[in-house]
Amino acid sequence: MSGTSADGIDVALVRIQGRGFRSRLELLAHYHTPYSLNVRRAVLAAMNARAACVADLSRLNFLLGKFYADAVAKALQGARVQCELVGCHGQTLYHQGTAESFLARRIACTWQTGEAAIIAAKLGVPVVSDFRPADMAAGGKGAPLVPFLDYVLYRHARFGRIVQNIGGIANLTAIPAGAKPEQVIAFDTGPGNMVIDAVTEQLFGKPYDRDGRFAARGKPIESVLRELMRHPFFRQRPPKTAGREQFGREFVREFMRLCHRADKNDIVATATALTARSIAGAVRKFAVPFQQTLAPFRELLVSGGGTKNATLMPMLAAELRAFDLRVRTTDELGLPSEAKEAAAFALLAYETCHQRPSNIPSATGAQRPAILGKISYP
């Protein structure tokens, strides 16, 4: 898995048994391989770009295929295991889950790059990739797909759980007590680390706010937060998805304009508070009203890089205090937060290999279950 933060490649080595929603997962090991600075810059430049060189995009596709293969090979060597199947999400360059006009037709589309044929050839095993288009072909938004794993691992018979991932984009899965798969809702809540990373790099020359240190020295600017929370995405009802198309360069430019000449630490604190407040707003507007009266949501399970931000996590807990939710990380339930999304695509690949659907239509808006992905053979 390589996410919208474009910080590198997460590899999860997972042993899977069972089938469908009765699957059982055992995490054997997980590894992170950071992108080099020049590769990260190339990926960020290609994301949601207004103009790009076709030759460079093709080269990036093959280059990332080689990087993914190397990252998996290194993980296998470190864990001293062999694998039978690889699931590769790829690097999202563009995602437009809602149809828009293009050449007199209405088109929704997505693009994840990283050539799977290269991975299959180098590792000698089948590779499942390009998971999102099949859901979109079935009328869905192509995201979120991780709710399949969330339901497998975190459903509970007696109380509801909200599973919140904070990667580049933040997304949640709401699972009521004893819910069937069709009763699950999931959607992107807005920016996760994306805006924080962008302003930190712009102001301090650092790729991210390590441990939330800059934000801890500042104070959120309430007038800016109120203005930012008027963004139409936060009012849009699920199913919905977000990416750099909504919270990338243009959004950060407007964010910095609103902050004007504020203290640098206050600006990072404001970006951090935006993530916490937008998550809490999504819980209040779209998750809490969805819960069953007799079995309310009791836990919010957090995963992703945002769990490492020691300023963001207390902000989030404070924003959620009114909902009587116990905030925990997925680490406490046995799956390290940084391995969760990679493990999810291992599970989706496993389902695809057995010709079983693994989208959740109530989460993506698809009209039917769909078998996700394309298979490349060595």
Side-chain angles (χ1 to χ4, degrees):
M1 177 70 193
S2 48
T4 49
S5 292
D7 56 353
I9 304 165
D10 292 312
V11 177
L13 304 179
V14 184
R15 180 177 289 121
I16 304 173
Q17 295 178 311
R19 58 179 294 163
F21 295 116
R22 298 182 184 276
S23 297
R24 298 182 302 280
L25 282 77
E26 177 189 1
L27 180 68
L28 304 178
H30 64 95
Y31 297 85
H32 177 76
T33 301
Y35 284 147
S36 63
L37 182 60
N38 61 339
V39 170
R40 185 169 192 263
R41 285 175 175 167
V43 169
L44 290 174
M47 284 181 174
N48 195 30
R50 292 186 177 275
C53 172
V54 174
D56 285 346
L57 292 176
S58 181
R59 292 167 183 145
L60 184 62
N61 178 48
F62 275 68
L63 178 67
L64 289 180
K66 292 177 182 293
F67 282 169
Y68 292 146
D70 290 345
V72 174
K74 182 179 177 181
L76 294 171
Q77 183 178 14
R80 297 183 179 181
V81 297
Q82 293 180 324
C83 74
E84 298 177 352
L85 179 69
V86 172
C88 180
H89 173 270
Q91 182 69 64
T92 298
L93 294 186
Y94 186 76
H95 184 81
Q96 179 199 308
T98 302
E100 296 181 8
S101 179
F102 179 73
L103 300 180
R105 299 293 295 269
R106 299 284 293 175
I107 298 294
C109 58
T110 190
W111 186 7
Q112 284 73 45
T113 195
E115 184 51 59
I118 298 292
I119 308 171
K122 288 179 73 74
L123 298 177
V125 297
V127 177
V128 182
S129 63
D130 211 16
F131 290 87
R132 301 188 186 277
D135 178 81
M136 298 177 76
K141 295 183 179 295
L145 299 182
V146 175
F148 189 90
L149 175 85
D150 291 339
Y151 184 79
V152 167
L153 293 184
Y154 303 122
R155 67 184 186 271
H156 198 284
R158 296 190 303 278
F159 60 84
R161 281 174 167 156
I162 298 172
V163 188
Q164 178 74 52
N165 184 69
I166 308 177
I169 288 293
N171 49 75
L172 70 73
T173 304
I175 312 171
K180 297 178 180 178
E182 60 269 20
Q183 295 173 305
V184 171
I185 64 165
F187 56 94
D188 289 344
T189 60
N193 304 313
M194 183 181 295
V195 177
I196 304 170
D197 292 350
V199 300
T200 299
E201 185 156 21
Q202 188 170 329
L203 296 173
F204 294 99
K206 303 291 184 181
Y208 62 97
D209 184 11
R210 183 183 293 274
D211 301 324
R213 294 171 188 171
F214 295 127
R217 299 171 191 156
K219 183 178 180 181
I221 307 167
E222 279 297 327
S223 60
V224 174
L225 278 174
R226 287 194 297 270
E227 182 65 27
L228 294 171
M229 287 302 296
R230 294 192 179 102
H231 192 287
F233 179 82
F234 299 131
R235 298 192 299 270
Q236 182 184 339
R237 297 190 63 82
K240 58 180 180 175
T241 65
R244 292 189 180 274
E245 297 74 23
Q246 290 77 24
F247 299 106
R249 299 182 190 92
E250 294 80 7
F251 182 86
V252 171
R253 190 179 302 120
E254 176 63 12
F255 176 92
M256 295 299 291
R257 186 191 69 79
L258 291 171
C259 290
H260 195 44
R261 296 181 180 177
D263 178 84
K264 291 181 180 181
N265 293 310
D266 290 350
I267 294 174
V268 179
T270 304
T272 306
L274 173 65
T275 294
R277 189 163 298 182
S278 58
I279 290 171
V283 170
R284 181 183 68 255
K285 293 177 184 177
F286 306 120
V288 170
F290 176 67
Q291 68 188 350
Q292 297 177 0
T293 305
L294 298 179
F297 292 117
R298 290 186 188 172
E299 294 183 337
L300 184 103
L301 306 179
V302 190
S303 64
T307 61
K308 309 302 181 186
N309 188 319
T311 302
L312 173 59
M313 291 298 286
M315 279 185 177
L316 180 58
E319 292 280 355
L320 294 168
R321 193 168 291 131
F323 306 116
D324 196 27
L325 284 169
R326 181 186 179 192
V327 179
R328 308 172 67 187
T329 66
T330 58
D331 301 59
E332 297 177 50
L333 279 75
L335 184 60
S337 57
E338 59 268 30
K340 178 169 169 278
E341 288 207 321
F345 285 94
L347 178 60
L348 298 185
Y350 175 81
E351 291 299 299
T352 298
C353 192
H354 289 86
Q355 301 181 42
R356 294 190 291 260
S358 55
N359 63 334
I360 294 186
S362 61
T364 66
Q367 297 168 4
R368 56 176 173 79
I371 300 172
L372 305 179
K374 300 161 188 174
I375 304 178
S376 300
Y377 292 97

